[in-house]
Short mmCIF file of all heavy atoms in Angstrom, two decimals:
data_model
loop_
_atom_site.label_atom_id
_atom_site.label_comp_id
_atom_site.label_asym_id
_atom_site.label_seq_id
_atom_site.Cartn_x
_atom_site.Cartn_y
_atom_site.Cartn_z
N ILE A 269 137.55 38.85 168.06
CA ILE A 269 137.40 39.74 166.91
C ILE A 269 135.95 40.20 166.85
O ILE A 269 135.04 39.40 167.00
CB ILE A 269 137.79 39.04 165.60
CG1 ILE A 269 139.28 38.68 165.64
CG2 ILE A 269 137.45 39.89 164.40
CD1 ILE A 269 139.74 37.87 164.47
N ILE A 270 135.78 41.47 166.58
CA ILE A 270 134.44 42.03 166.47
C ILE A 270 134.02 41.98 165.01
O ILE A 270 134.77 42.36 164.12
CB ILE A 270 134.43 43.48 166.99
CG1 ILE A 270 134.88 43.50 168.45
CG2 ILE A 270 133.07 44.12 166.83
CD1 ILE A 270 135.15 44.86 168.98
N ASP A 271 132.81 41.50 164.77
CA ASP A 271 132.40 41.31 163.37
C ASP A 271 132.08 42.62 162.66
O ASP A 271 131.78 43.63 163.27
CB ASP A 271 131.24 40.32 163.27
CG ASP A 271 129.99 40.78 163.99
OD1 ASP A 271 129.76 42.00 164.11
OD2 ASP A 271 129.23 39.91 164.43
N ASP A 272 132.17 42.58 161.33
CA ASP A 272 131.94 43.76 160.50
C ASP A 272 130.53 44.29 160.61
O ASP A 272 130.30 45.49 160.54
CB ASP A 272 132.25 43.46 159.03
CG ASP A 272 133.73 43.30 158.77
OD1 ASP A 272 134.53 43.85 159.55
OD2 ASP A 272 134.09 42.62 157.80
N LEU A 273 129.55 43.40 160.79
CA LEU A 273 128.16 43.82 160.88
C LEU A 273 127.96 44.73 162.09
O LEU A 273 127.26 45.73 162.02
CB LEU A 273 127.25 42.61 160.97
CG LEU A 273 125.76 42.89 161.07
CD1 LEU A 273 125.29 43.73 159.88
CD2 LEU A 273 124.98 41.60 161.16
N ARG A 274 128.60 44.40 163.20
CA ARG A 274 128.47 45.23 164.40
C ARG A 274 129.05 46.62 164.14
O ARG A 274 128.47 47.62 164.52
CB ARG A 274 129.17 44.56 165.58
CG ARG A 274 129.00 45.29 166.89
CD ARG A 274 127.58 45.26 167.35
NE ARG A 274 127.22 43.89 167.59
CZ ARG A 274 126.28 43.50 168.43
NH1 ARG A 274 125.62 44.36 169.12
NH2 ARG A 274 126.00 42.23 168.57
N PHE A 275 130.20 46.69 163.47
CA PHE A 275 130.79 47.99 163.11
C PHE A 275 129.83 48.79 162.25
O PHE A 275 129.62 49.97 162.46
CB PHE A 275 132.10 47.81 162.35
CG PHE A 275 133.30 47.63 163.22
CD1 PHE A 275 134.10 46.52 163.09
CD2 PHE A 275 133.64 48.58 164.16
CE1 PHE A 275 135.22 46.36 163.89
CE2 PHE A 275 134.75 48.43 164.96
CZ PHE A 275 135.53 47.32 164.83
N LYS A 276 129.24 48.14 161.26
CA LYS A 276 128.32 48.83 160.36
C LYS A 276 127.11 49.36 161.11
O LYS A 276 126.67 50.48 160.88
CB LYS A 276 127.90 47.91 159.22
CG LYS A 276 129.01 47.64 158.25
CD LYS A 276 128.60 46.64 157.20
CE LYS A 276 129.80 46.27 156.34
NZ LYS A 276 129.56 45.16 155.46
N ASN A 277 126.57 48.57 162.02
CA ASN A 277 125.42 49.01 162.81
C ASN A 277 125.77 50.22 163.66
O ASN A 277 124.99 51.17 163.76
CB ASN A 277 124.90 47.88 163.69
CG ASN A 277 124.21 46.79 162.92
OD1 ASN A 277 123.79 47.00 161.78
ND2 ASN A 277 124.09 45.64 163.52
N GLU A 278 126.92 50.19 164.30
CA GLU A 278 127.34 51.30 165.14
C GLU A 278 127.56 52.56 164.31
O GLU A 278 127.13 53.65 164.67
CB GLU A 278 128.63 50.97 165.90
CG GLU A 278 128.61 49.71 166.74
CD GLU A 278 127.58 49.69 167.84
OE1 GLU A 278 127.03 50.75 168.18
OE2 GLU A 278 127.31 48.61 168.36
N MET A 279 128.21 52.43 163.17
CA MET A 279 128.50 53.58 162.31
C MET A 279 127.24 54.17 161.71
O MET A 279 127.11 55.39 161.59
CB MET A 279 129.47 53.19 161.20
CG MET A 279 130.85 52.79 161.68
SD MET A 279 131.75 54.11 162.50
CE MET A 279 132.13 55.13 161.11
N ASN A 280 126.27 53.34 161.34
CA ASN A 280 125.03 53.84 160.75
C ASN A 280 124.21 54.65 161.75
O ASN A 280 123.45 55.52 161.34
CB ASN A 280 124.19 52.69 160.20
CG ASN A 280 124.77 52.11 158.94
OD1 ASN A 280 125.50 52.77 158.22
ND2 ASN A 280 124.44 50.86 158.67
N ALA A 281 124.36 54.37 163.02
CA ALA A 281 123.59 55.08 164.04
C ALA A 281 124.18 56.46 164.36
O ALA A 281 123.51 57.30 164.94
CB ALA A 281 123.52 54.25 165.32
N LEU A 282 125.42 56.69 163.95
CA LEU A 282 126.11 57.93 164.30
C LEU A 282 126.03 58.97 163.19
O LEU A 282 125.91 58.62 162.02
CB LEU A 282 127.57 57.63 164.61
CG LEU A 282 127.81 56.73 165.81
CD1 LEU A 282 129.29 56.37 165.89
CD2 LEU A 282 127.36 57.38 167.09
N LYS A 283 126.15 60.23 163.59
CA LYS A 283 126.17 61.34 162.64
C LYS A 283 127.31 62.28 162.99
O LYS A 283 127.70 62.39 164.14
CB LYS A 283 124.85 62.09 162.69
CG LYS A 283 123.68 61.23 162.30
CD LYS A 283 122.39 61.98 162.36
CE LYS A 283 121.30 61.03 161.91
NZ LYS A 283 120.00 61.42 162.23
N LYS A 284 127.83 62.99 162.00
CA LYS A 284 128.93 63.91 162.23
C LYS A 284 128.50 65.15 163.01
O LYS A 284 129.25 65.69 163.78
CB LYS A 284 129.55 64.35 160.91
CG LYS A 284 130.43 63.33 160.28
CD LYS A 284 131.17 63.89 159.10
CE LYS A 284 132.12 62.85 158.56
NZ LYS A 284 133.01 63.38 157.55
N GLU A 285 127.30 65.62 162.78
CA GLU A 285 126.87 66.89 163.32
C GLU A 285 126.44 66.84 164.78
O GLU A 285 126.43 67.85 165.45
CB GLU A 285 125.70 67.47 162.50
CG GLU A 285 126.01 67.69 161.05
CD GLU A 285 125.82 66.42 160.21
OE1 GLU A 285 124.92 65.63 160.51
OE2 GLU A 285 126.61 66.23 159.28
N GLU A 286 126.03 65.69 165.27
CA GLU A 286 125.47 65.65 166.61
C GLU A 286 125.94 64.45 167.42
O GLU A 286 126.19 63.38 166.88
CB GLU A 286 123.94 65.67 166.54
CG GLU A 286 123.37 64.47 165.82
CD GLU A 286 121.87 64.56 165.62
OE1 GLU A 286 121.44 65.45 164.87
OE2 GLU A 286 121.16 63.76 166.23
N TYR A 287 126.06 64.67 168.72
CA TYR A 287 126.40 63.59 169.63
C TYR A 287 125.13 62.81 169.96
O TYR A 287 124.05 63.39 170.04
CB TYR A 287 126.98 64.15 170.93
CG TYR A 287 128.42 64.58 170.83
CD1 TYR A 287 128.75 65.90 170.54
CD2 TYR A 287 129.44 63.67 171.03
CE1 TYR A 287 130.07 66.29 170.45
CE2 TYR A 287 130.77 64.06 170.95
CZ TYR A 287 131.07 65.37 170.66
OH TYR A 287 132.37 65.76 170.58
N ILE A 288 125.27 61.50 170.14
CA ILE A 288 124.15 60.70 170.64
C ILE A 288 124.60 59.97 171.90
O ILE A 288 125.79 59.74 172.11
CB ILE A 288 123.62 59.70 169.59
CG1 ILE A 288 124.66 58.64 169.25
CG2 ILE A 288 123.14 60.41 168.35
CD1 ILE A 288 124.07 57.48 168.48
N ASP A 289 123.64 59.62 172.73
CA ASP A 289 123.92 58.94 173.98
C ASP A 289 124.48 57.54 173.68
O ASP A 289 123.91 56.78 172.89
CB ASP A 289 122.65 58.84 174.81
CG ASP A 289 122.90 58.40 176.23
OD1 ASP A 289 123.87 57.66 176.50
OD2 ASP A 289 122.11 58.82 177.11
N PHE A 290 125.59 57.22 174.29
CA PHE A 290 126.24 55.93 174.12
C PHE A 290 125.29 54.77 174.39
O PHE A 290 125.32 53.75 173.72
CB PHE A 290 127.46 55.87 175.04
CG PHE A 290 128.11 54.53 175.13
CD1 PHE A 290 128.81 54.01 174.07
CD2 PHE A 290 128.02 53.78 176.28
CE1 PHE A 290 129.42 52.76 174.15
CE2 PHE A 290 128.62 52.53 176.37
CZ PHE A 290 129.31 52.03 175.30
N LYS A 291 124.40 54.94 175.36
CA LYS A 291 123.48 53.86 175.74
C LYS A 291 122.57 53.46 174.58
O LYS A 291 122.12 52.32 174.52
CB LYS A 291 122.62 54.28 176.94
CG LYS A 291 123.39 54.34 178.23
CD LYS A 291 122.43 54.62 179.35
CE LYS A 291 122.91 55.80 180.15
NZ LYS A 291 122.00 56.16 181.21
N LEU A 292 122.30 54.39 173.67
CA LEU A 292 121.43 54.08 172.54
C LEU A 292 122.06 53.08 171.58
O LEU A 292 121.35 52.43 170.80
CB LEU A 292 121.06 55.36 171.78
CG LEU A 292 120.25 56.38 172.57
CD1 LEU A 292 120.05 57.64 171.74
CD2 LEU A 292 118.91 55.79 172.99
N LEU A 293 123.37 52.94 171.61
CA LEU A 293 124.06 51.99 170.73
C LEU A 293 124.14 50.58 171.31
O LEU A 293 124.43 49.64 170.58
CB LEU A 293 125.48 52.48 170.44
CG LEU A 293 125.59 53.76 169.64
CD1 LEU A 293 127.05 54.14 169.49
CD2 LEU A 293 124.95 53.61 168.28
N LEU A 294 123.88 50.46 172.59
CA LEU A 294 124.01 49.15 173.22
C LEU A 294 122.84 48.25 172.86
O LEU A 294 121.69 48.68 172.85
CB LEU A 294 124.11 49.30 174.74
CG LEU A 294 125.32 50.08 175.23
CD1 LEU A 294 125.27 50.24 176.74
CD2 LEU A 294 126.62 49.43 174.81
N GLU A 295 123.13 47.03 172.55
CA GLU A 295 122.12 46.04 172.16
C GLU A 295 121.67 45.28 173.40
O GLU A 295 122.10 44.16 173.65
CB GLU A 295 122.71 45.09 171.11
CG GLU A 295 123.19 45.75 169.84
CD GLU A 295 122.05 46.25 168.98
OE1 GLU A 295 120.91 45.77 169.15
OE2 GLU A 295 122.30 47.12 168.15
N THR A 296 120.79 45.88 174.18
CA THR A 296 120.36 45.28 175.45
C THR A 296 119.57 43.99 175.25
O THR A 296 119.60 43.11 176.11
CB THR A 296 119.55 46.27 176.29
OG1 THR A 296 118.43 46.72 175.53
CG2 THR A 296 120.39 47.47 176.69
N HIS A 297 118.85 43.86 174.14
CA HIS A 297 118.05 42.65 173.90
C HIS A 297 118.92 41.42 173.64
O HIS A 297 118.43 40.30 173.70
CB HIS A 297 117.08 42.88 172.75
CG HIS A 297 117.74 43.07 171.43
ND1 HIS A 297 118.26 44.28 171.02
CD2 HIS A 297 117.98 42.19 170.43
CE1 HIS A 297 118.79 44.14 169.82
NE2 HIS A 297 118.64 42.90 169.43
N GLU A 298 120.20 41.62 173.40
CA GLU A 298 121.11 40.49 173.14
C GLU A 298 121.76 39.97 174.41
O GLU A 298 122.60 39.09 174.36
CB GLU A 298 122.18 40.91 172.14
CG GLU A 298 121.63 41.17 170.75
CD GLU A 298 122.72 41.54 169.76
OE1 GLU A 298 123.90 41.60 170.14
OE2 GLU A 298 122.37 41.77 168.59
N GLY A 299 121.41 40.53 175.55
CA GLY A 299 121.97 40.06 176.80
C GLY A 299 123.36 40.61 177.07
O GLY A 299 123.85 41.52 176.39
N LYS A 300 124.00 40.03 178.06
CA LYS A 300 125.31 40.49 178.49
C LYS A 300 126.36 40.40 177.38
O LYS A 300 127.16 41.31 177.20
CB LYS A 300 125.77 39.68 179.71
CG LYS A 300 126.91 40.31 180.47
CD LYS A 300 127.33 39.48 181.67
CE LYS A 300 126.27 39.53 182.73
NZ LYS A 300 126.69 38.87 183.98
N SER A 301 126.36 39.32 176.63
CA SER A 301 127.36 39.18 175.58
C SER A 301 127.14 40.21 174.47
O SER A 301 128.11 40.74 173.92
CB SER A 301 127.36 37.76 175.00
OG SER A 301 126.11 37.47 174.42
N GLY A 302 125.90 40.55 174.17
CA GLY A 302 125.61 41.59 173.18
C GLY A 302 126.10 42.95 173.64
O GLY A 302 126.62 43.74 172.84
N LEU A 303 125.93 43.24 174.94
CA LEU A 303 126.42 44.50 175.49
C LEU A 303 127.94 44.59 175.39
O LEU A 303 128.48 45.63 175.03
CB LEU A 303 126.00 44.65 176.96
CG LEU A 303 124.53 44.86 177.22
CD1 LEU A 303 124.25 44.82 178.73
CD2 LEU A 303 124.06 46.17 176.64
N ILE A 304 128.59 43.50 175.69
CA ILE A 304 130.06 43.47 175.64
C ILE A 304 130.55 43.68 174.21
O ILE A 304 131.47 44.47 173.96
CB ILE A 304 130.61 42.16 176.24
CG1 ILE A 304 130.33 42.14 177.74
CG2 ILE A 304 132.09 41.99 175.95
CD1 ILE A 304 130.55 40.79 178.40
N VAL A 305 129.92 43.01 173.24
CA VAL A 305 130.34 43.14 171.84
C VAL A 305 130.11 44.57 171.36
O VAL A 305 130.96 45.16 170.68
CB VAL A 305 129.60 42.12 170.95
CG1 VAL A 305 129.84 42.40 169.48
CG2 VAL A 305 130.05 40.72 171.29
N SER A 306 128.96 45.18 171.71
CA SER A 306 128.69 46.57 171.33
C SER A 306 129.71 47.51 171.94
O SER A 306 130.21 48.42 171.27
CB SER A 306 127.28 46.98 171.77
OG SER A 306 126.31 46.27 171.07
N PHE A 307 130.02 47.31 173.21
CA PHE A 307 131.00 48.14 173.90
C PHE A 307 132.37 48.02 173.24
O PHE A 307 133.04 49.03 172.98
CB PHE A 307 131.06 47.75 175.37
CG PHE A 307 132.03 48.56 176.17
CD1 PHE A 307 131.76 49.88 176.48
CD2 PHE A 307 133.22 48.01 176.60
CE1 PHE A 307 132.66 50.64 177.21
CE2 PHE A 307 134.12 48.76 177.34
CZ PHE A 307 133.84 50.08 177.64
N LEU A 308 132.78 46.80 172.93
CA LEU A 308 134.07 46.60 172.28
C LEU A 308 134.11 47.22 170.88
O LEU A 308 135.14 47.76 170.46
CB LEU A 308 134.41 45.11 172.21
CG LEU A 308 134.72 44.45 173.55
CD1 LEU A 308 134.89 42.95 173.37
CD2 LEU A 308 135.94 45.07 174.20
N ALA A 309 132.99 47.14 170.18
CA ALA A 309 132.93 47.76 168.84
C ALA A 309 133.13 49.27 168.95
O ALA A 309 133.87 49.86 168.16
CB ALA A 309 131.59 47.44 168.17
N VAL A 310 132.49 49.90 169.93
CA VAL A 310 132.64 51.34 170.12
C VAL A 310 134.07 51.68 170.51
O VAL A 310 134.66 52.64 170.00
CB VAL A 310 131.63 51.87 171.15
CG1 VAL A 310 131.94 53.31 171.56
CG2 VAL A 310 130.21 51.78 170.59
N LEU A 311 134.68 50.90 171.40
CA LEU A 311 136.07 51.13 171.77
C LEU A 311 136.99 51.03 170.55
O LEU A 311 137.91 51.83 170.40
CB LEU A 311 136.52 50.14 172.84
CG LEU A 311 135.97 50.34 174.24
CD1 LEU A 311 136.50 49.24 175.17
CD2 LEU A 311 136.34 51.70 174.78
N GLU A 312 136.74 50.07 169.69
CA GLU A 312 137.55 49.91 168.49
C GLU A 312 137.38 51.11 167.55
O GLU A 312 138.35 51.58 166.95
CB GLU A 312 137.20 48.61 167.77
CG GLU A 312 138.10 48.27 166.62
CD GLU A 312 139.54 47.95 167.02
OE1 GLU A 312 139.79 47.58 168.18
OE2 GLU A 312 140.43 48.08 166.16
N LEU A 313 136.16 51.62 167.43
CA LEU A 313 135.92 52.80 166.59
C LEU A 313 136.65 54.02 167.15
O LEU A 313 137.16 54.84 166.39
CB LEU A 313 134.42 53.07 166.47
CG LEU A 313 133.63 52.02 165.69
CD1 LEU A 313 132.14 52.28 165.83
CD2 LEU A 313 134.04 51.99 164.24
N ILE A 314 136.71 54.13 168.47
CA ILE A 314 137.48 55.22 169.10
C ILE A 314 138.96 55.03 168.79
O ILE A 314 139.65 55.97 168.41
CB ILE A 314 137.22 55.27 170.62
CG1 ILE A 314 135.78 55.70 170.90
CG2 ILE A 314 138.20 56.22 171.31
CD1 ILE A 314 135.36 55.53 172.35
N LYS A 315 139.44 53.82 168.94
CA LYS A 315 140.85 53.51 168.68
C LYS A 315 141.23 53.84 167.23
O LYS A 315 142.33 54.33 166.97
CB LYS A 315 141.10 52.03 168.98
CG LYS A 315 142.50 51.56 168.70
CD LYS A 315 142.60 50.07 169.01
CE LYS A 315 143.84 49.47 168.41
NZ LYS A 315 143.87 48.01 168.58
N LEU A 316 140.33 53.58 166.30
CA LEU A 316 140.58 53.85 164.89
C LEU A 316 140.35 55.32 164.52
O LEU A 316 140.47 55.70 163.35
CB LEU A 316 139.67 52.97 164.02
CG LEU A 316 139.93 51.47 164.11
CD1 LEU A 316 138.84 50.69 163.38
CD2 LEU A 316 141.30 51.12 163.57
N SER A 317 140.04 56.13 165.51
CA SER A 317 139.78 57.57 165.33
C SER A 317 138.62 57.84 164.36
O SER A 317 138.64 58.81 163.62
CB SER A 317 141.04 58.29 164.86
OG SER A 317 142.03 58.20 165.84
N LEU A 318 137.62 56.98 164.39
CA LEU A 318 136.45 57.17 163.54
C LEU A 318 135.33 57.89 164.27
O LEU A 318 134.43 58.43 163.64
CB LEU A 318 135.94 55.82 163.03
CG LEU A 318 136.91 55.07 162.12
CD1 LEU A 318 136.36 53.69 161.78
CD2 LEU A 318 137.16 55.87 160.85
N ILE A 319 135.37 57.88 165.61
CA ILE A 319 134.35 58.56 166.39
C ILE A 319 134.99 59.39 167.50
O ILE A 319 136.12 59.11 167.92
CB ILE A 319 133.31 57.59 167.00
CG1 ILE A 319 133.96 56.59 167.97
CG2 ILE A 319 132.54 56.85 165.92
CD1 ILE A 319 132.96 55.71 168.71
N ASP A 320 134.25 60.41 167.95
CA ASP A 320 134.63 61.21 169.11
C ASP A 320 133.76 60.79 170.28
O ASP A 320 132.59 60.42 170.10
CB ASP A 320 134.39 62.70 168.85
CG ASP A 320 135.56 63.37 168.18
OD1 ASP A 320 136.70 62.92 168.39
OD2 ASP A 320 135.32 64.34 167.46
N CYS A 321 134.31 60.90 171.46
CA CYS A 321 133.60 60.54 172.67
C CYS A 321 133.73 61.70 173.66
O CYS A 321 134.80 62.29 173.79
CB CYS A 321 134.24 59.27 173.24
SG CYS A 321 133.51 58.68 174.75
N ALA A 322 132.62 62.05 174.35
CA ALA A 322 132.65 63.15 175.31
C ALA A 322 131.84 62.77 176.54
O ALA A 322 130.80 62.10 176.45
CB ALA A 322 132.08 64.41 174.68
N GLN A 323 132.33 63.23 177.71
CA GLN A 323 131.65 63.01 178.98
C GLN A 323 131.96 64.20 179.87
O GLN A 323 133.13 64.56 180.05
CB GLN A 323 132.13 61.71 179.62
CG GLN A 323 131.42 61.34 180.89
CD GLN A 323 131.92 60.03 181.47
OE1 GLN A 323 133.05 59.62 181.24
NE2 GLN A 323 131.06 59.37 182.23
N ALA A 324 130.93 64.83 180.44
CA ALA A 324 131.11 66.04 181.23
C ALA A 324 131.84 65.77 182.54
O ALA A 324 132.74 66.52 182.93
CB ALA A 324 129.77 66.71 181.51
N ASN A 325 131.48 64.70 183.23
CA ASN A 325 132.17 64.32 184.47
C ASN A 325 132.06 62.82 184.66
O ASN A 325 131.44 62.12 183.85
CB ASN A 325 131.64 65.11 185.67
CG ASN A 325 130.16 64.90 185.90
OD1 ASN A 325 129.70 63.77 185.95
ND2 ASN A 325 129.41 65.99 186.02
N GLN A 326 132.62 62.34 185.73
CA GLN A 326 132.76 60.90 185.94
C GLN A 326 131.44 60.13 185.90
O GLN A 326 131.40 59.01 185.41
CB GLN A 326 133.46 60.66 187.29
CG GLN A 326 133.74 59.20 187.56
CD GLN A 326 134.47 59.00 188.86
OE1 GLN A 326 134.69 59.93 189.63
NE2 GLN A 326 134.86 57.78 189.13
N HIS A 327 130.37 60.70 186.38
CA HIS A 327 129.10 59.96 186.47
C HIS A 327 128.05 60.43 185.48
O HIS A 327 126.90 60.01 185.56
CB HIS A 327 128.56 60.03 187.89
CG HIS A 327 129.48 59.40 188.90
ND1 HIS A 327 129.66 58.04 188.97
CD2 HIS A 327 130.29 59.95 189.83
CE1 HIS A 327 130.54 57.78 189.93
NE2 HIS A 327 130.94 58.92 190.46
N SER A 328 128.43 61.27 184.54
CA SER A 328 127.45 61.75 183.56
C SER A 328 127.41 60.83 182.34
O SER A 328 128.23 59.92 182.19
CB SER A 328 127.80 63.17 183.12
OG SER A 328 129.03 63.21 182.46
N ALA A 329 126.43 61.08 181.49
CA ALA A 329 126.26 60.26 180.30
C ALA A 329 127.46 60.42 179.36
O ALA A 329 128.14 61.44 179.35
CB ALA A 329 124.98 60.68 179.56
N ILE A 330 127.70 59.40 178.55
CA ILE A 330 128.76 59.41 177.54
C ILE A 330 128.09 59.64 176.19
O ILE A 330 127.11 58.98 175.85
CB ILE A 330 129.53 58.09 177.54
CG1 ILE A 330 130.21 57.86 178.89
CG2 ILE A 330 130.54 58.05 176.41
CD1 ILE A 330 130.79 56.49 179.07
N TYR A 331 128.63 60.57 175.43
CA TYR A 331 128.09 60.89 174.10
C TYR A 331 129.15 60.66 173.05
O TYR A 331 130.32 60.91 173.28
CB TYR A 331 127.62 62.35 174.06
CG TYR A 331 126.47 62.61 174.99
CD1 TYR A 331 126.69 63.14 176.25
CD2 TYR A 331 125.17 62.32 174.60
CE1 TYR A 331 125.63 63.37 177.12
CE2 TYR A 331 124.11 62.55 175.45
CZ TYR A 331 124.34 63.07 176.71
OH TYR A 331 123.29 63.29 177.55
N ILE A 332 128.71 60.16 171.89
CA ILE A 332 129.65 59.91 170.80
C ILE A 332 129.07 60.43 169.49
O ILE A 332 127.87 60.59 169.34
CB ILE A 332 130.00 58.41 170.68
CG1 ILE A 332 128.76 57.56 170.46
CG2 ILE A 332 130.75 57.93 171.89
CD1 ILE A 332 129.06 56.10 170.25
N LYS A 333 129.99 60.73 168.54
CA LYS A 333 129.61 61.14 167.19
C LYS A 333 130.72 60.77 166.23
O LYS A 333 131.84 60.50 166.63
CB LYS A 333 129.32 62.65 167.13
CG LYS A 333 130.56 63.51 167.22
CD LYS A 333 130.23 64.95 166.96
CE LYS A 333 131.51 65.76 166.95
NZ LYS A 333 131.33 67.11 166.49
N LEU A 334 130.39 60.78 164.95
CA LEU A 334 131.40 60.54 163.92
C LEU A 334 132.38 61.69 163.86
O LEU A 334 132.01 62.83 164.11
CB LEU A 334 130.75 60.39 162.55
CG LEU A 334 129.96 59.12 162.28
CD1 LEU A 334 129.33 59.17 160.91
CD2 LEU A 334 130.85 57.89 162.41
N LYS A 335 133.61 61.41 163.48
CA LYS A 335 134.60 62.47 163.27
C LYS A 335 134.46 63.03 161.89
O LYS A 335 134.02 62.40 160.98
CB LYS A 335 136.01 61.93 163.46
CG LYS A 335 136.38 61.81 164.89
CD LYS A 335 137.86 61.56 165.00
CE LYS A 335 138.27 61.66 166.46
NZ LYS A 335 139.68 61.49 166.65
#
C-alpha cells in the first residue's frame, strides 16, 4: 500500500496547466525503495485518472500533469 503522504507530495508538485518531467517527482535521495514508492504512487494516480501522462516516443522523457 502506498501511503497518503506520498500521494500528497506527488499531487502538490503537479499543476493542471503544464506538464512536468516525471523524473522531478522521483525521490532519488531515498534510494531504490524511495524510487519504487514514488513510481507506484504515480502509477496509482494515473489509474485513478487524476493525472495525464505523455511521452513523444519510446526513449523520450515522460511528462505528467493534473487532469
Side-chain angles (χ1 to χ4, degrees):
I269 296 174
I270 300 169
D271 62 30
D272 288 336
L273 180 58
R274 184 66 63 154
F275 275 123
K276 289 175 187 170
N277 288 341
E278 305 299 346
M279 294 297 288
N280 287 336
L282 297 172
K283 298 180 178 164
K284 284 189 176 188
E285 301 84 35
E286 61 186 67
Y287 282 94
I288 65 167
D289 192 330
F290 171 70
K291 289 186 233 177
L292 296 176
L293 294 177
L294 298 177
E295 301 288 340
T296 57
H297 66 278
E298 293 182 0
K300 196 180 290 187
S301 61
L303 291 174
I304 292 168
V305 171
S306 294
F307 181 72
L308 291 174
V310 169
L311 288 178
E312 187 66 22
L313 292 171
I314 292 169
K315 178 181 164 186
L316 295 171
S317 297
L318 296 174
I319 62 174
D320 273 331
C321 180
Q323 184 179 26
N325 59 51
Q326 184 178 6
H327 298 289
S328 64
I330 298 170
Y331 295 96
I332 58 177
K333 72 172 185 170
L334 288 177
K335 281 192 171 183

